[in-house]
Amino acid sequence: MDTNFSAEDLAFRDEVVAFLETAWTDEHEAHLRDPQAGMQAIIDWQKRLHARGWLAPGWPVEYGGTDWTTTQSFIFETERATAGAPDVPPFALKMVAPVIYTYGSDEQKQRFLPRILSSEDWWCQGYSEPGAGSDLASLKTKAELDGDEYVVNGAKIWTTYAQYADWIFCLVRTDSSGRKQAGITFLLIDMKSPGITVNPIETIDGVYSLNEVLFDNVRVPVENRIGEQDQGWTYAKALLAHERTAIAGVADSRRHLGEIRELARQEVSGGRALLEDPAFQARLSSVEIELMALEYTELRVLAAMAEGSGPGVESSLLKIKGTEVQQSVQQLRIDVAGYYCGVIAGESGDIGHSFGSEARRAYMYGRASTIYGGSNEVQKNITAKFVLGL
Amino acid sequence: MDTNFSAEDLAFRDEVVAFLETAWTDEHEAHLRDPQAGMQAIIDWQKRLHARGWLAPGWPVEYGGTDWTTTQSFIFETERATAGAPDVPPFALKMVAPVIYTYGSDEQKQRFLPRILSSEDWWCQGYSEPGAGSDLASLKTKAELDGDEYVVNGAKIWTTYAQYADWIFCLVRTDSSGRKQAGITFLLIDMKSPGITVNPIETIDGVYSLNEVLFDNVRVPVENRIGEQDQGWTYAKALLAHERTAIAGVADSRRHLGEIRELARQEVSGGRALLEDPAFQARLSSVEIELMALEYTELRVLAAMAEGSGPGVESSLLKIKGTEVQQSVQQLRIDVAGYYCGVIAGESGDIGHSFGSEARRAYMYGRASTIYGGSNEVQKNITAKFVLGL
Amino acid sequence: MNFKLSEEQAMLKESIARFVQDRYDFTARCAAATSEIGFSRENWATFAELGWLSIPFEEEHGGFGGSAVDTMVVMEELGSGLVVEPFVATVLLFGGLLGKGGSAEQKAANISAIIAGELQGAFAFLERQSRYELADIKTVAAGNGSGFTINGEKTVVFNGAAADKLIVSARTSGAQCEQQGISLFLLDASAAGIEKTAYRLMDGQLVANITFNDVAVSADQLVGELDDGYRLITDVINEVIVAISAEAVGIMQKLNDTTVEYTKTREQFAVPIGSFQALQHRMVDMFMGCEQTRSLLYRAVCSMDDQSADAREIEKNILALKVMVGRIGKLIGGESIQLHGAMGVTDELDVGHYFKRLMMINTSFGDADYQQQKFSALTNSG
Amino acid sequence: MNFKLSEEQAMLKESIARFVQDRYDFTARCAAATSEIGFSRENWATFAELGWLSIPFEEEHGGFGGSAVDTMVVMEELGSGLVVEPFVATVLLFGGLLGKGGSAEQKAANISAIIAGELQGAFAFLERQSRYELADIKTVAAGNGSGFTINGEKTVVFNGAAADKLIVSARTSGAQCEQQGISLFLLDASAAGIEKTAYRLMDGQLVANITFNDVAVSADQLVGELDDGYRLITDVINEVIVAISAEAVGIMQKLNDTTVEYTKTREQFAVPIGSFQALQHRMVDMFMGCEQTRSLLYRAVCSMDDQSADAREIEKNILALKVMVGRIGKLIGGESIQLHGAMGVTDELDVGHYFKRLMMINTSFGDADYQQQKFSALTNSG
């Protein structure tokens, strides 16, 4: 048992740090704070990663992956977050791509994977439906085969970045006769298809990212189906555990905690730095300790994956604790901001602590993290059943 | 809306304080720390209360009650706890007596109530059974009518003070054909009856108070039955809410919190009183604030009862929060004691902080409070169903 | 001992509830909040008409002479309706300072105007660095013989954008953070040298940063005693803390009711999610939290209205209340969002808006951690 | 990166597990704990025989030269079996001080005896007033030319009743609470002037208060440098903290397993109580708590065994671990009792006994609140 870095690992870390120093710039960082310019910054960032061959570390090497060891992945993630660079949006790279290279046809692989790597195609995820929520399998969007096309009708909801997407990967119902997990088909749908309407959803963070996507007789060529008809649940399910692993966000939480410590060092309360306030210290420490633990919990899961076992049901633990820690961090930032956590920064510019408005946005956005990707309640059900055998 | 004391209330308070000054002595207090001598102290205390006419404030005046207003009851409880005097054991005075004076025959009232007031009869409660737990109605102890006697067979468990008891009030099954709440009969059983065996249960606090009570063909005259055969559940249920109200123990928790504050003022850590330690202060304050709230929650329930409405389902809230606060107080005392919380004071006398061993005993004894009287989980079920309508 | 409302209070409560029911649905509320001044003048006129604005003022100034319980009744209902109109800023803060510390002339000139709904006021007390320390004041009012010249900047002034008049706290002596040496001045918001920058808070309030550049005031604009404003500020703010706590209890009750109702109708896995025991127990925790907070609210108002109550006991009750309002507000707000699932994060539902108001109430006049340390200091000192 | 045990470690683990399985059921454990010396000499001889007592000592002193991971493996299994034999007191504390700070003669005279199971030791460091402050020492060792004379009283000396030899911390200079001026002395427990009062702790340990009345020691009984004992104490105690944390993880795992199993068989309302969702979610919290604590345990031992690790990082890891051991210990211990219902409060079940050991582990060498403040001080200082 050890977590020592080998000489190769240390060399790799230097490589990563050197790359990040030039690839992730202050300009990117500044753009990121603006939801509109932010998207451009992310696309540029993806292109730089791709140029370096590091955009899709988890993919098989033949399709453009890196073949990193678990330790290298860990190093990259840590340094990436430390530098303040964002994780790339997961929908194309971590969600649909693995389905395509695992269950897709050769033609589908050749058609879609390169365009994901080049950032030409932007993807969104069509799983959730109005009314379905955590009970994903109860979905109702229907696809009927008509010649060599499926005709899709229904609605998807909570679709992040649908407004930017070229493609949506969807679970649709092709058979309602059996149990609800059967009869689901996995389709790749061109967002430019006639009959698709994207309606924005206003959210409590005030930033536009979620949408409702309506399908009105949308025709999808049968060659855009992944694998077999009615087997889509199997393909999707295999990926859900990976999604939960990725969701923990340990390295990002660590960086945010460091920022909060600095903010609290500058913030003064009654002539004394807030960081010296014992109540604040206690809360900061509690979160940091939980995070230190989570970091090793993640390493343990990664190490097990490296040994060939899937992330398995322990991924639920990462999802629950990861999002709990994220929310604790967001709460701390809000509390440091005091009155200014309420500020909605508009055209007026600097009207208080500059971080107040951002703290509010991150906090409100973060409310969703315990709900999406299978709510934390559902994760607890999964853990009770499959880990504890209850 | 007000909680002002009237001039009469203030005069009553003076009366109570004056009574307590002479009635509850340092000698009682000292005896209380010793489980054996403690029982004698409690009997003596009951007799003094009885002599003053204050032993059974909740009873109707005709049977020996006091006819106090809600405010007076509150004043008495507060001053009683402040003086360090214990609440009297509830089994006779607060549990069986209300059943007797509400549902019993005139003969039963005349026979049992005076002997309870005079402390001649000591009672214990025979509700729980091995295996039944919070699912009280699933009890199996059987009573069969044979002439003018019931023949009782079965086992009761977790019976507090059965070793001292002259009588036990029992729920027994007289009919198994219908739903489990039907077919239960309420019997008063003489503990000297042949066929009764009392087995002590060792508990984690190391003090002997719980027992298993076995019934082997115990014959109980039919005149010792309360009300109708098979209707016992109704009689018992009406009392459970009262039990939960009594269980909150606000005044006692307040006194204990005061003691802990003094202990923490004396206990030194790194040259500074533990009471000055911010982490300790925060925990102490959190408990005190919760208790301040609970005190008014109890007043609100009492005021509603004074208006003629029963304690109702809000009594579950008092039970849950009351026991949570008690356990928080016990935890604080343990933590103040530090290493000495582990001490089992034996013949060796003073081997550390004198309060360590007591803190341990109170803590361990207190573990049961969230389990008995209907576990807190069951109380939450009750609240969800009857208060929230879920 | 008695926890019932008087007939008059019950009518007052009913009158506000009816207003909310009939004229203040969520759409109307959002329209008021997003308007240029951050509230509806029409609604304000209605408040005046119905007499609500007179509640806390003494009868001799045309007020109702209400008790702490009366104010509680109003605030709880305003909370339940998520009312954004500046009752706290104009009536309780600005009006409260005048009522408690104003000169006879100041009262005569302003209180009846407030009651009539014709005067909007604000209290400018926060500064960029002050956080929750009311005595941390850098704004200076320098004596110049006949009067004072004020220089400094105030931030997050509640109702600061719409206010016709301001009371501002400034240092007339003493060092930054010293309690002694703080004075209050009443002035027109349009006085020379005053500049405002308006912006919104997440709970819909329109607030302002206000700078004072050589603003001249005369001695008769002083509110209360020279150098002795701190006590007046804390007296009024203590009352306001209890008032917004009552508002918070109204919000908590509303969020709990809404959430319980939602879980009864929302189905997942073919059953209402309210049938899941884990969620039931969490909603019981929310219920208990609300009831416990309500108990502390009653405790605080009863002690404030009790002439024989000890000042220290009252302070302790207020601190305890504010701590629990902050803590339980986080619990209930967070759980309400979570139990509403993805719907909870949409702006379309009012749940998120109630939640944001609870967050701002926690922050206002000191959050739970801050107040708990004051509580500890008070209770452990002898 | 690798979290697997080596083959040797897996065998060691298996060997302890087998001992517990075959020869250390709950009855045997209670018999050992309640015996006159507080443990079984026969078991101790078995430990020696199986080589467990040699694990942490250097090879040159006849030890196994084990790593922090090796000690962890032992302690986790001892925790799982609720083993009461004084491995911590004799091997890790007493033996650890000698191994790290003893003179060549002291090592030669004692370590092989410990390994052979022939010597019981104890470290007398706590005093009545010291609470968790290791430097708060009033016991004095006054120089008298040739040696020292020790006067003072130590309390709660683990294994103090059975120990053949003691190491005692005493002040050779400096004021009470000063880190400088503390020295350690090795002496026979039967030396003139030593008096013991033995008593039991709730976790079954037999401990002692020990008074030193003009106890004479020579200069060669000094362990480590004169006046510089504090560093040695904290070095050894840090290792012991990690060791008892591993014990705690063993206990947590055992309690979780026991509780889950119990809820699968215990029926209420005609179904196993483990089918109630509210209880399931609480058991998931217990599971997550145990896993998170285990992660901090791995983090601490990996950093201790890493030659290149930063001393500050190691200290931070140990503090974090001890905080979580205390907090999660309370959670898991309390929930285990609660979910066992009334059975949980009986002495007949082992659940209460595991719980009590968790409580004593929390208290030992500083509880969660205490360690968290040290953690804060360390992490916030630049």
Side-chain angles (χ1 to χ4, degrees), chain B residues 131-135 158 180 201-204 210 267-272 274 277-279 283 331 334-344 348 350-353 360 363-364 367-368 370-371 375-378, chain D residues 125-129 131-133 155-156 158 177 197-202 209 266-270 279 282 330 337-338 341-348 352 355-356 359-360 362-367 369-370 373:
Chain B
S134 286
D135 184 8
W158 319 126
K180 60 187 176 182
I201 297 172
E202 284 186 60
T203 46
I204 55 175
L210 297 187
E267 175 74 1
V268 170
S269 175
R272 182 174 77 160
L274 181 62
D277 175 73
R283 290 180 49 205
Q331 179 73 60
I334 281 279
D335 290 342
V336 173
Y339 282 98
Y340 300 102
C341 77
V343 168
I344 297 177
S348 349
D350 186 25
I351 44 180
H353 293 306
R360 176 187 53 76
Y363 180 90
M364 290 299 161
R367 286 317 88 189
T370 45
I371 296 167
S375 74
N376 285 20
E377 289 77 16
V378 168
Chain D
F125 65 102
L126 282 172
E127 299 187 1
R128 184 73 164 258
Q129 82 293 342
R131 205 169 166 83
Y132 305 131
E133 292 297 337
T155 61
V156 199
F158 300 137
C177 295
T197 309
Y199 53 97
R200 284 178 202 282
L201 299 185
M202 62 172 157
N209 287 359
R266 164 73 170 165
E267 297 204 346
Q268 292 268 274
F269 307 102
L279 304 194
R282 283 160 64 177
K330 282 180 188 175
I337 300 273
Q338 182 71 20
M343 284 306 294
V345 301
T346 64
D347 230 31
E348 166 197 346
F355 177 41
K356 287 173 179 173
M359 288 176 70
M360 286 315 296
N362 175 40
T363 278
S364 298
F365 313 109
D367 68 8
D369 284 356
Y370 175 82
Q373 291 187 60

Side-chain angles (χ1 to χ4, degrees), chain A residues 6-28:
Chain A
S6 65
E8 292 76 28
D9 292 334
L10 293 172
F12 175 74
R13 183 166 67 184
D14 292 343
E15 234 184 304
V16 172
V17 169
F19 166 74
L20 286 162
E21 264 170 19
T22 58
W24 181 254
T25 65
D26 290 349
E27 202 185 344
H28 286 120

